């Protein structure tokens, strides 16, 4: 279990155990690759981040992850795997979020990308994300750091 503070100083607990906090979390976050690049989206208010969002009524967290990637980037997922789950004790309540790693095999142009400006491809996620105003607060805590290390170790991504 990794425990730390997020961008807003809320306590965060991250685990790579299978659905440790909830079997049915209400939020997802998907770390994506497309053509050997990292696939992010540019949120209209928050900046660049990996796609994610809320699990809708009647769908599983994994189905929500696939849908969110498609809605926010136009990405069609070829392969997806559960990475971990984190719990945020925030001022407005708690959030439990599944983290997935996905390989996207196609980007489809869409008339809308919902609350985002669409896909962003990066060769490398910068080391200084925490201090870069172009990135969302979601990218600025140790969830990203720990998950990227886990993904790189298990799936040997190059960047």
């Amino acid at each position: 279990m990794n425990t730390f503070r997020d961008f807003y100083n809320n306590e965060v607990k991250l685990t790579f155990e299978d659905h440790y906090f909830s079997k049915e979390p209400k939020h997802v976050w998907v770390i994506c690759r497309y053509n050997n690049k990292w696939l992010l989206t540019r949120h209209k208010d928050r900046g660049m981040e990996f796609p994610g969002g809320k699990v809708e009524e009647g769908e599983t967290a994994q189905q929500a992850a696939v849908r969110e990637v498609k809605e926010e980037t136009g990405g069609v997922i070829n392969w997806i795997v559960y990475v971990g789950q984190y719990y945020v004790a925030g001022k407005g309540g708690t959030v439990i979020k599944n983290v997935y790693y996905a390989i996207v095999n196609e980007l489809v142009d869409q008339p809308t990308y919902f609350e985002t400006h669409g896909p962003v491809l990066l060769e490398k996620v910068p080391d200084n994300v925490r201090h870069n105003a172009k990135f969302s607060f979601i990218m600025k805590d140790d969830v990203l750091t720990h998950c990227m290390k886990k993904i790189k170790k298990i799936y040997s991504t190059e960047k």
Side-chain angles (χ1 to χ4, degrees), residues 102-138:
I103 303 297
V104 170
N105 64 345
E106 181 181 10
L107 285 183
V108 177
D109 284 332
Q110 303 184 147
T112 180
Y113 293 95
F114 294 81
E115 67 274 4
T116 79
H117 292 294
V120 175
L121 293 169
L122 298 177
E123 292 284 338
K124 182 180 187 313
V125 176
D127 294 331
N128 66 342
V129 168
R130 286 177 203 254
H131 307 291
N132 189 326
K134 293 179 182 178
F135 288 89
S136 164
F137 74 92
I138 294 170

Side-chain angles (χ1 to χ4, degrees), residues 22-35:
S22 174
K23 295 290 184 203
E24 297 180 6
K26 302 298 182 208
H27 298 86
V28 296
W29 195 46
V30 189
I31 299 171
C32 305
R33 300 274 291 168
Y34 172 71
N35 283 349

Side-chain angles (χ1 to χ4, degrees), residues 31 38 50 125 143-152:
I31 299 171
W38 296 105
F50 285 110
V125 176
V143 171
L144 177 64
T145 306
H146 289 297
C147 287
M148 291 293 269
K149 283 179 187 174
K150 175 109 175 140
I151 290 165
K152 287 176 184 179

